[in-house]
Amino acid sequence: MAQTIQSPQDLLQKPQESRLIKQMRSIKKKIMVMSGKGGVGKSTVAANLAARLADRGYKVGLLDADIHGPSIPKMFGIEDQKPSVDENGIVPIQVTENLSVMSIALLVEDRDSPIIWRGPAKMGAIKQFLQEVSWGKLDYLFIDLPPGTGDEPLSIAQLIEKLDGAVVVTTPQDVALLSVRKSLTFASMLKVPVIGIVENMSGMKCPHCNEKIDIYGTGGVEKAAADFNVPVLGELPIDPAVATMEDNGRVHLEGDSDLEWFREFNRIVDSVENFKQ
């Protein structure tokens, strides 16, 4: 009987695939954080989910999969650090005892240099982040995706054997909601369970009268959630103190603040922690 002769490429591919599968099986829950459009605070939600669950004693990894606009290292004050390499692969930056981070921003020499890559190069980088980074045994791996439904989220969905959930972030205005509905449809098409929607920038309190001002309107997020039968996990107000915390690289240090933003965010963390398919 004739035998099929494998090419060198086929022989090289098998150990890579088995390593990827082995890596992912060491991680209990793999969760995408996505948005339909940019500027809605998706990275803020991803960074705080990772930091707050690490505070609760879970082993957490955070992968910044936004190749062109990585911002996670800045939020944790680690943008000047560089990953090392050991016998197990690339060692992610250890932000706290329970939280490790990897981002393309940690690998480039000049922060002002843009990453000018087409789809295949981006998919290769994301595969390397999943396969070659020594994540170890994790309770959670959060993947901060770029906005939209393009190469990066599709690559993640194709490479990971089973995604445990997606958190979709939006703001209340109609322009953002048009895109978030596409994200919900995308997750459904790929059979990724949606944990829920986070409504960010959900109004702000007037500094003079303390009344809530709905800058971007109301009602649209609830309608999208009802149409797709997913919950609204929380409504995060606009608070300049949160932006200052991120600019100063202190996301992992200020989670016990008594701000209304953090009180609301803790309810979001509860929902993610308790989510079961």
Side-chain angles (χ1 to χ4, degrees), residues 180-200:
V180 83
R181 296 175 73 93
K182 292 181 174 64
S183 294
L184 292 168
T185 302
F186 175 85
S188 176
M189 290 171 66
L190 295 176
K191 297 183 172 22
V192 178
V194 176
I195 298 171
I197 304 173
V198 174
E199 180 180 323
N200 196 27

Side-chain angles (χ1 to χ4, degrees), residues 160-219:
I160 295 179
E161 184 178 358
K162 180 179 176 294
L163 281 160
D164 296 280
V167 173
V168 180
V169 184
T170 187
T171 50
Q173 73 266 44
D174 288 343
V175 171
L177 289 167
L178 285 172
S179 299
V180 83
R181 296 175 73 93
K182 292 181 174 64
S183 294
L184 292 168
T185 302
F186 175 85
S188 176
M189 290 171 66
L190 295 176
K191 297 183 172 22
V192 178
V194 176
I195 298 171
I197 304 173
V198 174
E199 180 180 323
N200 196 27
M201 306 182 201
S202 179
M204 66 175 291
K205 282 191 177 180
C206 173
H208 304 292
C209 67
N210 214 34
E211 290 292 321
K212 183 181 179 183
I213 305 169
D214 291 314
I215 297 173
Y216 296 124
T218 60

Side-chain angles (χ1 to χ4, degrees), residues 2-272:
Q3 293 183 343
T4 302
I5 299 176
Q6 294 177 305
S7 68
Q9 290 80 7
D10 291 334
L11 292 171
L12 288 172
Q13 185 70 10
K14 284 189 175 180
Q16 291 179 345
E17 290 175 345
S18 64
R19 178 176 171 80
L20 176 60
I21 292 170
K22 183 179 178 182
Q23 284 267 75
M24 293 301 102
R25 286 180 179 167
S26 296
I27 301 169
K28 292 179 182 177
K29 293 184 179 180
K30 299 165 280 288
I31 297 173
M32 298 192 302
V33 182
M34 52 190 310
S35 67
K37 66 184 295 295
V40 300
K42 168 190 50 58
S43 293
T44 293
V45 171
N48 278 277
L49 276 173
R52 304 293 74 84
L53 281 164
D55 287 344
R56 296 185 183 189
Y58 293 101
K59 291 291 185 182
V60 181
L62 175 57
L63 171 57
D64 185 356
D66 192 340
I67 302 296
H68 298 294
S71 56
I72 292 295
K74 173 69 173 175
M75 293 182 179
F76 290 101
I78 58 170
E79 64 266 40
D80 292 326
Q81 298 188 39
K82 297 297 179 188
S84 59
V85 178
D86 65 14
E87 66 275 9
N88 296 315
I90 303 167
V91 181
I93 300 299
Q94 201 74 29
V95 178
T96 67
E97 181 182 355
N98 290 331
L99 176 61
S100 54
V101 170
M102 177 52 65
S103 170
I104 192 72
L106 300 169
L107 303 175
V108 296
E109 293 299 326
D110 183 356
R111 293 183 202 168
D112 295 329
S113 295
I115 304 292
I116 307 174
W117 290 353
R118 294 187 185 273
K122 291 190 285 185
M123 184 169 181
I126 289 171
K127 184 175 183 180
Q128 189 171 13
F129 283 148
L130 293 172
Q131 177 176 275
E132 302 298 336
V133 172
S134 181
W135 292 108
K137 291 185 178 180
L138 297 176
D139 295 300
Y140 291 93
L141 175 65
F142 288 98
I143 303 158
D144 180 30
L145 291 168
T149 55
D151 288 315
E152 293 90 337
L154 188 58
S155 296
I156 292 291
Q158 289 175 335
L159 289 168
I160 295 179
E161 184 178 358
K162 180 179 176 294
L163 281 160
D164 296 280
V167 173
V168 180
V169 184
T170 187
T171 50
Q173 73 266 44
D174 288 343
V175 171
L177 289 167
L178 285 172
S179 299
V180 83
R181 296 175 73 93
K182 292 181 174 64
S183 294
L184 292 168
T185 302
F186 175 85
S188 176
M189 290 171 66
L190 295 176
K191 297 183 172 22
V192 178
V194 176
I195 298 171
I197 304 173
V198 174
E199 180 180 323
N200 196 27
M201 306 182 201
S202 179
M204 66 175 291
K205 282 191 177 180
C206 173
H208 304 292
C209 67
N210 214 34
E211 290 292 321
K212 183 181 179 183
I213 305 169
D214 291 314
I215 297 173
Y216 296 124
T218 60
V221 174
E222 288 80 3
K223 184 177 187 312
D227 289 347
F228 286 87
N229 194 30
V230 298
V232 178
L233 301 180
E235 300 174 359
L236 299 170
I238 297 172
D239 193 325
V242 176
T244 300
M245 172 191 71
E246 293 176 346
D247 289 344
N248 292 335
R250 297 180 61 84
V251 168
H252 55 302
L253 299 173
E254 298 191 19
D256 59 350
S257 170
D258 195 39
L259 293 175
E260 179 188 348
W261 193 95
F262 280 108
R263 292 196 296 272
E264 181 68 12
F265 197 87
N266 278 329
R267 288 192 278 273
I268 296 170
V269 180
D270 291 340
S271 297
V272 173

